[in-house]
Amino acid sequence: MLRSLSVRVVIALLAGLAVGAAAAAFGGESAKRAIELVESVGALWLNALRMTVVPLIFAVMVTGIAGVADAAATGRLAARALASIVALMTFAAVFSLGFAQVFYAVWPVTGAAAAALRAGASAAPDLAKAAPTFVGFVSGLAPENALKAASENAILPLVVFAAFFGFAATRLPQARRQALTDLFDSIGQVMITIVRWVLWAAPVGVFALALGVGLRAGVGAAGVIAHYVAAIVLGNIGITVVGYLIALFGRIDFGRFVRAVAPVQVTAFATQSSLACLPAMIERCRDDLGVPDRVSGLVLPMTVSVMRITGPVANFGVALFLVQVYGLHPSAMTYLGATLVTVATSMASVGLPGQVSFFASIAPICLSLGLPVDLLPILIAVEVIPDIFRTIGNVTADMALTAVLAKGEPATA
């Protein structure tokens, strides 16, 4: 069991919180100074993760847009599938925002709990980014200097530039386009390798950061982390219900759909991998839902590669939880920008490994809201629990969309 990185990171989190809390209660000033020294190791580890965010997101967006454009050009079904995926991912981001408003109105992050976790972070929110005007929002969508935007973590204009760059790349002759996408694919793979190296040391980094959280927040941090897990899990369950509704309103026999998706959900629970569920999804769609192989063979790989409907819900949900922790009230324009970033980064980072994807897709959303990312490594440690519900929601929506798109296709090729 200890061979699992997720298990080691959870153990490191709990141990760091416990040791930090014990030092605060019984250790005296010398113990506190020693922990603050160890925290610098955690800060170094966190900075090593941060340094990959901008180049990784830019690279995967460029290669992702080029790949999606190629897929959409292959035929009517592919174009319909892509349009549906973009619509569903946008809906999922809006759903996450609405769900968070209701959830935290019913079960707010209390002042004491929020203060406990906030006390463990070394950085404060960037309030200067919290309230753009409509004019400022529109004029700021395109960066006047892309390198400056990257250096200042101006994520939304950087995402817009990456999107233009990716679409413009598709207009190049095939040989040049392939060379360019290969270059950015290589850059992305290098960044992923660096992140994997950094994540290899995650137990050490999380332990060092958790020491500081435990030192300043005490045992109160554990309760607010449990609150976070509940928020993300319930959000994922909510979007899973939406997957069933897609089938229902798409006039798919509801009983047949429930029976078809159930064994795939079991596989999703066990593997926590949509890709590992792909063979089972193709089989159940064919045998139980009557989806032609030519439809499932195109749409299901596309949904696994481009769409994970729980991505915007969970990714935006993390940032919205931190909004509550810091007691911020972002403007409508700030939320609009964060929604656009959520959809773009969630789709771009679909093919990334789980823990790589967590930081690469959530850090840009936090930065677009003016939030520090200091607490993300603490939340990575408990991601293993929400990830189960992420995968279940993804396979449910993938099969529902495939079945609905199949109804619009002729019976024969």
Side-chain angles (χ1 to χ4, degrees):
M1 185 173 68
L2 291 179
R3 291 182 179 180
S4 169
L5 177 62
S6 297
V7 172
R8 296 200 303 272
V9 170
V10 171
I11 292 173
L13 170 65
L14 296 177
L17 292 176
V19 172
F26 311 111
E29 290 301 318
S30 59
K32 293 178 182 179
R33 284 195 296 272
I35 285 179
E36 290 171 354
L37 181 62
V38 174
E39 269 192 285
S40 63
V41 176
L44 172 64
W45 178 79
L46 178 58
N47 285 337
L49 279 177
R50 281 176 171 151
M51 71 182 183
T52 64
V53 171
V54 168
L56 178 57
I57 286 298
F58 192 88
V60 298
M61 281 202 65
V62 170
T63 55
I65 287 171
V68 165
D70 285 340
T74 60
R76 173 178 170 273
L77 177 59
R80 288 178 61 215
L82 180 59
S84 300
I85 287 170
V86 173
L88 286 174
M89 294 289 275
T90 304
F91 172 81
V94 176
F95 172 88
S96 181
L97 183 57
F99 172 82
Q101 302 305 314
V102 175
F103 179 84
Y104 293 116
V106 174
W107 186 10
V109 180
T110 62
L117 190 59
R118 189 168 59 242
S122 58
D126 186 355
L127 298 178
K129 295 182 180 180
T133 64
F134 178 76
V135 173
F137 174 80
V138 173
S139 63
L141 284 175
E144 60 180 84
N145 186 323
L147 296 179
K148 181 181 178 182
S151 66
E152 294 178 350
N153 288 326
I155 294 298
L156 181 57
L158 189 65
V159 165
V160 171
F161 176 67
F164 273 99
F165 193 100
F167 281 115
T170 65
R171 309 302 296 174
L172 292 174
Q174 175 62 30
R176 291 187 177 183
R177 178 177 61 180
Q178 190 62 49
L180 186 64
T181 54
D182 286 347
L183 170 63
F184 279 100
D185 182 62
S186 297
I187 292 173
Q189 292 302 318
V190 169
M191 292 300 108
I192 291 172
T193 299
I194 293 174
V195 174
R196 281 175 167 157
W197 288 346
V198 176
L199 289 176
W200 181 82
V204 175
V206 169
F207 177 79
L209 293 170
L211 279 176
V213 174
L215 177 67
R216 290 185 286 272
V219 295
V224 75
I225 290 174
H227 194 166
Y228 157 77
V229 171
I232 304 304
V233 166
L234 289 174
N236 284 333
I237 291 174
I239 203 67
T240 302
V241 173
V242 171
Y244 285 105
L245 294 177
I246 292 171
L248 183 64
F249 291 113
R251 295 181 296 175
I252 306 301
D253 185 294
F254 193 68
R256 289 179 63 191
F257 179 77
V258 171
R259 291 190 295 273
V261 79
V264 181
Q265 291 174 332
V266 172
T267 304
F269 182 91
T271 64
Q272 298 174 40
S273 168
S274 298
L275 184 60
C277 296
L278 182 57
M281 286 194 283
I282 292 175
E283 181 183 4
R284 292 302 96 205
C285 281
R286 180 191 63 218
D287 296 346
D288 295 345
L289 300 176
V291 176
D293 286 342
R294 62 183 178 80
V295 176
S296 61
L298 172 66
V299 177
L300 281 173
M302 182 179 289
T303 58
V304 169
S305 300
V306 181
M307 179 183 83
R308 289 180 185 168
I309 197 170
T310 59
V313 176
N315 298 342
F316 206 0
V318 175
L320 294 172
F321 170 77
L322 293 179
V323 166
Q324 297 295 316
V325 167
Y326 286 105
L328 300 182
H329 301 282
S331 68
M333 289 297 101
T334 301
Y335 274 135
L336 176 59
T339 300
L340 297 176
V341 171
T342 297
V343 174
T345 56
S346 295
M347 293 184 67
S349 60
V350 158
L352 301 181
Q355 289 173 318
V356 176
S357 170
F358 183 93
F359 200 87
S361 56
I362 297 172
I365 303 171
C366 291
L367 294 172
S368 70
L369 289 168
L371 294 166
V373 298
D374 294 54
L375 294 175
L376 288 186
I378 303 299
L379 303 182
I380 288 177
V382 294
E383 174 62 13
V384 64
I385 301 172
D387 197 42
I388 294 171
F389 296 90
R390 279 181 182 244
T391 312
I392 292 172
N394 289 334
V395 300
T396 303
D398 290 351
M399 289 183 63
L401 178 60
T402 301
V404 170
L405 289 175
K407 290 183 70 68
E409 290 296 301
T412 58

